[in-house]
């Protein structure tokens, strides 16, 4: 797919800006602070309803404005779609598709698909686990918009359950309340199982692409892997030997007896092989085992909100061990892997996502620049920003657009 038009009203630094775009590569050049990222952020927001820079909407509204508008014309194959998104201060955002009646903003998810690379991506490796969970969930929602509801259901239940645990900790909890907690356990187990199931499946899809992308960007001496570490698995492992009946056949058990700590280790269950229903059961079991600790601490300790996507280079975790260059290669590889997963989807009926590279070339050495440019140059639409044109490798030939204060220099385009 590609964007043919982008118009912004009262978005960030723009009172009004209209940008015409074409398929292929477009490089937007302009000095720092001129508004390049603001344009890219708007496209990313239209795709994911999230900004890659801020976690609330307020900074997206132009100083003093009550609402901002993002309008875009998107072309997918023969079909074109007009998307409008109204970002409101103090009330729900609204969308419109092909000038329809207003719909929930959430109904726009999955229509415009983008993969955005930005300097903030360093947090994928260096940041806390929430950055990586967010990476997974955002991709999940892009691929399967119904999971936006999975996410918000889970967040809602988690909040309520935490409130209950917190009041229990404050001593306002009697045994009668245990029944209420049981009910929340059921809700959270179900919502958590849906989310976990979807994330595990997604990590399996990402894995081969991550490995390939990393090999392409580097000399191939180290292998990149991503391992999903779930608090559910930890809880079951801790608890497994004592309270969980062995579910595997007797032959497996017999095999385990040869180990040094034979008898203690129950066979580890591969959560990826379980259905949503089975995962729900496991969560109920894990919540029961964690109940006492959770009541003491006043928070939910087990669930997808505490899981981690561990990134590994060779045999060491990327976080804390990878060099600056390796860290960048890992971040780029995660984004490229998302792109390839979306592309796989596109082959079965969708349309390739739009690639956005906001100010990333300035961060990379010459080798990585050239390799990245070679990989992305074939995408249906690639939007690149740079303060200095020389940072863009010659492999990335395409239209150049000059960004000037408040808008685009139409004369300067070539
Ligand atoms: N909500 C806002 N209202 C008005 N101006 C804003 C707002 N948010 C950011 N800006 C301005 O936008 C500029 C940054 O634009 P940005 O797109 O990040 O620049 P760059 O071209 O370097 O990527 C800054 O001058 C900043 O003051
Ligand atoms: Mg910028």
């Amino acid at each position: 797919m590609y964007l043919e038009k982008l118009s912004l009203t009262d978005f960030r630094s723009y009172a009004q800006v209209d940008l015409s775009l074409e398929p292929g590569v477009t490089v937007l050049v302009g000095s720092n602070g001129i508004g390049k990222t603001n344009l890219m952020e708007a496209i990313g927001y239209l795709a994911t309803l999230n900004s890659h820079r801020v976690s609330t909407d307020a900074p997206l509204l132009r100083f003093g404005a009550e609402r901002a508008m993002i309008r875009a014309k998107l072309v997918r194959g023969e079909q074109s779609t007009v998307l409008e998104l109204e970002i409101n201060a103090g009330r729900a955002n609204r969308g419109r598709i092909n000038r329809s009646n207003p719909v929930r903003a959430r109904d726009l998810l999955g229509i415009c698909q983008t993969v955005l690379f930005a300097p903030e991506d360093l947090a994928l490796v260096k940041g806390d686990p929430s950055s990586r969970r967010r990476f997974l969930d955002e991709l999940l929602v892009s691929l399967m918009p119904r999971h936006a509801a999975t996410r918000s259901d889970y967040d809602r239940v988690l909040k309520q359950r935490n409130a209950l645990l917190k009041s229990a900790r404050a001593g306002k909890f009697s045994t009668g309340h245990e029944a209420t907690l049981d009910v929340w356990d059921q809700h959270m187990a179900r919502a958590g199982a849906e989310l976990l199931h979807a994330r595990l499946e997604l990590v399996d899809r990402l894995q081969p692409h991550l490995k390939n992308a990393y090999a392409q960007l580097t000399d191939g001496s180290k292998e990149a892997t991503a391992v999903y570490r779930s608090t559910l698995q930890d809880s079951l492992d801790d608890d497994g030997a004592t309270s969980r009946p062995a579910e595997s056949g007797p032959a497996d058990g017999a095999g385990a007896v040869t180990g040094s700590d034979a008898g203690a280790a129950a066979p580890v269950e591969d959560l990826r092989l379980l259905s949503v229903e089975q995962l729900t059961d496991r969560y109920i079991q894990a919540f029961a085992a964690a109940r006492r600790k959770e009541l003491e601490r006043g928070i939910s300790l087990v669930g997808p909100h505490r899981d981690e996507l561990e990134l590994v280079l060779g045999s060491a975790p990327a976080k804390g061990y990878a060099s600056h260059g390796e860290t960048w290669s890992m971040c780029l590889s995660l984004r490229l892997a998302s792109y390839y997963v979306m592309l796989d989807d596109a082959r079965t009926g969708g349309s390739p996502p739009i690639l956005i590279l906001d100010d990333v070339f300035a961060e990379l050495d010459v080798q990585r620049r050239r390799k990245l440019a070679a990989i992305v140059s074939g995408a249906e639409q690639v939007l690149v920003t740079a303060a200095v044109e020389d940072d863009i490798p010659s492999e990335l030939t395409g239209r150049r657009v000059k960004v000037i204060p408040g808008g685009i220099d139409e004369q300067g385009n070539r």
Side-chain angles (χ1 to χ4, degrees):
M1 65 184 71
Y2 67 92
L3 277 186
E4 198 175 75
K5 279 207 172 77
L6 177 72
S7 302
L8 306 179
T9 309
D10 288 335
F11 184 91
R12 289 279 195 186
S13 54
Y14 294 103
Q16 178 67 40
V17 65
D18 300 279
L19 184 58
S20 295
L21 294 161
E22 292 168 11
V25 177
T26 301
V27 181
L28 297 109
V29 187
S31 53
N32 282 320
I34 206 84
K36 304 180 297 297
T37 299
N38 294 345
L39 294 168
M40 300 302 111
E41 185 181 36
I43 303 174
Y45 192 92
L46 187 65
T48 62
L49 303 182
N50 278 318
S51 155
H52 68 286
R53 294 199 286 194
V54 288
S55 54
T56 58
D57 286 350
L60 305 180
L61 306 179
R62 198 164 69 99
F63 293 139
E66 284 294 302
R67 62 165 210 179
M69 285 288 284
I70 305 173
R71 291 191 188 82
K73 186 169 173 195
L74 184 73
V75 182
R76 304 161 62 112
E78 301 290 292
Q79 196 192 355
S80 70
T81 309
V82 176
L83 294 177
E84 290 169 89
L85 183 62
E86 185 183 287
I87 306 169
N88 292 307
R91 63 189 177 90
N93 298 341
R94 306 291 265 164
R96 293 210 303 163
I97 305 165
N98 289 329
R99 307 197 168 80
S100 65
N101 290 326
V103 294
R104 292 174 309 179
R106 193 201 269 185
D107 295 332
L108 263 50
L109 286 168
I111 300 178
C112 175
Q113 289 189 318
T114 61
V115 177
L116 193 152
F117 298 68
E120 286 79 2
D121 285 348
L122 275 187
L124 289 175
V125 170
K126 293 172 163 260
D128 56 32
S130 64
S131 315
R132 290 174 289 281
R133 289 193 295 264
R134 194 182 122 150
F135 163 78
L136 283 180
D137 291 345
E138 221 168 66
L139 179 58
L140 199 61
V141 168
S142 262
L143 292 165
M144 287 166 281
R146 70 182 172 86
H147 283 308
T150 310
R151 258 313 307 256
S152 64
D153 284 351
Y154 183 77
D155 290 348
R156 187 177 41 82
V157 175
L158 174 65
K159 225 166 136 186
Q160 310 247 31
R161 190 174 183 275
N162 276 345
L164 191 65
L165 287 169
K166 205 168 158 196
S167 71
R169 189 164 172 250
K172 287 174 249 154
F173 196 78
S174 68
T175 42
H177 287 99
E178 295 250 1
T180 318
L181 196 51
D182 286 343
V183 173
W184 283 115
D185 281 6
Q186 296 282 343
H187 288 314
M188 191 152 106
R190 177 73 204 185
E194 296 246 15
L195 189 55
L196 178 62
H197 191 265
R199 283 187 188 168
L200 289 171
E201 203 173 71
L202 182 61
V203 174
D204 272 351
R205 286 169 74 183
L206 277 167
Q207 188 59 63
H209 295 302
L210 176 68
K211 189 176 139 189
N212 285 341
Y214 193 83
Q216 275 184 290
L217 284 171
T218 61
D219 63 6
S221 63
K222 285 185 187 164
E223 191 175 295
T225 41
V227 187
Y228 192 87
R229 303 249 175 248
S230 80
T231 43
L232 175 60
Q233 185 88 65
D234 297 345
S235 167
L236 295 175
D237 290 352
D238 288 351
D239 188 41
T242 47
S243 67
R244 188 157 47 101
E247 287 187 27
S248 54
D252 284 357
V257 182
T258 52
S260 55
D261 56 356
V268 174
E269 194 169 40
D270 187 347
L271 297 183
R272 294 174 306 174
L273 303 177
L274 302 186
S275 65
V276 172
E277 286 68 32
Q278 288 169 316
L279 289 173
T280 307
D281 289 345
R282 299 300 183 280
Y283 270 125
I284 301 270
Q285 192 181 321
F287 294 156
R291 168 90 42 115
R292 197 180 44 80
K293 229 193 244 171
E294 290 192 324
L295 284 170
E296 269 166 31
R297 305 257 318 258
I299 47 164
S300 300
L301 296 170
V302 182
H305 66 290
R306 309 232 333 166
D307 291 353
E308 166 70 300
L309 180 70
E310 197 191 343
L311 304 172
V312 182
L313 277 182
S315 52
K319 187 174 180 172
Y321 291 86
S323 71
H324 187 67
E326 287 173 336
T327 302
W328 259 114
S329 294
M330 178 60 106
C331 299
L332 297 173
S333 301
L334 284 167
R335 294 294 178 201
L336 287 170
S338 320
Y339 172 71
Y340 288 124
V341 168
M342 288 186 180
L343 211 55
D344 282 349
D345 248 36
R347 289 197 189 100
T348 57
S351 178
I354 299 163
L355 282 179
I356 301 173
L357 286 81
D358 183 34
D359 233 354
V360 288
F361 286 105
E363 307 276 341
L364 307 176
D365 58 39
V366 175
Q367 280 304 316
R368 281 187 185 82
R369 278 184 192 173
R370 297 185 56 185
K371 286 179 171 170
L372 179 63
I375 297 172
V376 302
S377 59
E380 186 171 352
Q381 187 172 47
V382 191
L383 306 175
V384 184
T385 73
V388 181
E389 200 170 342
D390 288 349
D391 286 346
I392 307 294
S394 55
E395 281 83 351
L396 221 50
T397 51
R399 201 163 78 110
R400 299 294 198 255
V401 171
K402 184 126 188 63
V403 183
I404 55 172
I408 305 298
D409 178 9
E410 292 294 344
Q411 266 73 53
N413 296 351
R414 61 199 147 87

